Amino acid sequence: MIKKMGNPDIKVTILGSGTCVPSLRRSSCSVFVETGTQKIILDAGPGTMRRLLETGNEIFDITHIIFSHFHPDHTGEFVPFIFANKYPNENRRKVPLTLIGGKGFKEFFNCLKNVYGEWIELSPGIVNILELDNKKACTLDFQQFRMDSIPVNHRPESVAIKITSLNGYSLVYSGDTGFSQNLITLALNTDLFICESALPDNLEVLGHLTPSLAGKIATQAKVSFLVLTHFYPECDQFDIAKQCRRTYNGSFVSAEDLMTFELPLDLS
Ligand SMILES: [Zn+2]
Ligand SMILES: [Zn+2]
């Protein structure tokens, strides 16, 4: 049981606990992080804006979008998000928007501009685009939080992402990955570990984790709380918690859309 204290240092909302598979229960991948006045979206799969509205936030409030990789279930809302920021015109957005992705992100965005042109152009004064190294860990220091990334085993541009508040509380989001020593390194001693668990143990595929592999990483990283997410429909037919328990004794939950967490955690 996690108690909610109000006025947290970091608030985390699972916007989408699903995958590419259309589901009324699970929107595609996205996690919403609020710390100070900063509002950060980690991945923006289809349906992200609608789920964001359900949290009471507007797209114009978002300060950062960080992509773990470019698969459509993690980026599908990118084009509609930028387009919606131009309605009725760019003046609606008062805060700058920082867009971050792995190696090739600028080219990815430019290719989309070749298709959509000015429909997804925002003025340079309002948008800032950053690209992460796909060979080594990176750190970006923003005014109200620190972001760390590390390459993981899924796509060449794939990274896991860590957000640390000014007071030192942190969450780690795995993105998509197979078993990864780098992910253990990034997640070491983190407060909240949001980890993909795409398929049940018996249906493991290359480049994705299972409940017991996610549990193994959480155990080795000594995380305070584990959240399993990115569930293909097959997961709903098995006892995911039991499979995770094979390798992990700590606190955890299987994500549902709009589930929230507050840091610091109160696990009493
Ligand atoms: Zn993927
Ligand atoms: Zn995915």
Side-chain angles (χ1 to χ4, degrees):
M1 183 67 191
I2 315 175
K3 284 187 196 160
K4 306 259 165 70
M5 303 298 286
N7 196 24
D9 200 55
I10 302 181
K11 183 177 178 186
V12 179
T13 307
I14 305 294
L15 296 182
S17 59
T19 60
C20 62
V21 181
S23 162
L24 290 173
R25 176 177 171 187
R26 300 188 187 282
S27 193
S28 294
C29 312
S30 186
V31 177
F32 181 41
V33 180
E34 298 166 85
T35 184
T37 60
Q38 304 299 285
K39 295 178 186 288
I40 308 150
I41 288 179
L42 307 178
D43 283 341
T48 295
M49 286 193 287
R50 192 182 160 92
R51 282 285 189 248
L52 181 72
L53 291 182
E54 289 182 87
T55 72
N57 287 274
E58 290 198 39
I59 59 169
F60 306 100
D61 300 332
I62 299 303
T63 57
H64 300 73
I65 305 180
I66 307 172
F67 295 103
S68 67
H69 65 298
F70 306 150
H71 273 155
D73 55 328
H74 298 252
T75 58
E77 198 89 325
F78 183 44
V79 164
F81 182 93
I82 301 295
F83 186 50
N85 267 264
K86 293 172 73 76
Y87 179 82
N89 57 58
E90 275 192 61
N91 297 331
R92 180 81 187 271
R93 171 169 278 277
K94 303 296 181 208
V95 295
L97 175 65
T98 301
L99 304 170
I100 307 171
K103 181 126 180 90
F105 181 55
K106 288 179 181 173
E107 191 190 346
F108 175 78
F109 195 9
N110 284 336
C111 287
L112 290 171
K113 283 180 187 168
N114 284 339
V115 177
Y116 292 105
E118 65 176 22
W119 300 335
I120 57 167
E121 288 275 6
L122 293 175
S123 58
I126 207 77
V127 70
N128 180 27
I129 300 167
L130 303 174
E131 205 170 278
L132 301 163
D133 199 312
N134 68 334
K135 296 275 185 264
K136 60 179 173 46
C138 295
T139 298
L140 295 173
D141 275 308
F142 296 103
Q143 266 187 354
Q144 295 184 44
F145 69 95
R146 166 174 290 192
M147 184 210 137
D148 293 285
S149 69
I150 203 162
V152 289
N153 303 325
H154 185 67
R155 293 265 315 140
E157 76 278 9
S158 282
V159 290
I161 299 155
K162 180 177 188 179
I163 304 289
T164 307
S165 72
L166 294 180
N167 291 321
Y169 298 103
S170 71
L171 67 108
V172 170
Y173 169 60
S174 68
D176 286 2
T177 184
F179 190 81
S180 164
Q181 202 61 44
N182 270 357
L183 182 55
I184 296 169
T185 302
L186 189 74
L188 196 66
N189 295 319
T190 193
D191 298 293
L192 189 71
F193 179 39
I194 303 167
C195 188
E196 79 121 294
S197 171
L199 287 159
D201 285 0
N202 41 313
L203 297 175
E204 182 183 348
V205 295
L206 206 63
H208 281 293
L209 295 171
T210 62
S212 68
L213 285 174
K216 188 174 172 185
I217 292 170
T219 297
Q220 291 188 28
K222 303 182 182 72
V223 306
S224 300
F225 196 92
L226 168 64
V227 181
L228 299 178
T229 191
H230 200 341
F231 296 121
Y232 279 92
E234 289 85 343
C235 292
D236 295 325
Q237 295 157 22
F238 291 87
D239 190 341
I240 294 306
K242 192 174 169 188
Q243 295 188 356
C244 186
R245 277 279 170 250
R246 290 172 180 160
T247 54
Y248 179 69
N249 287 324
S251 305
F252 77 99
V253 71
S254 294
E256 295 288 344
D257 287 14
L258 299 177
M259 195 176 258
T260 62
F261 306 90
E262 294 182 352
L263 304 182
L265 290 166
D266 183 353
L267 297 170
S268 60

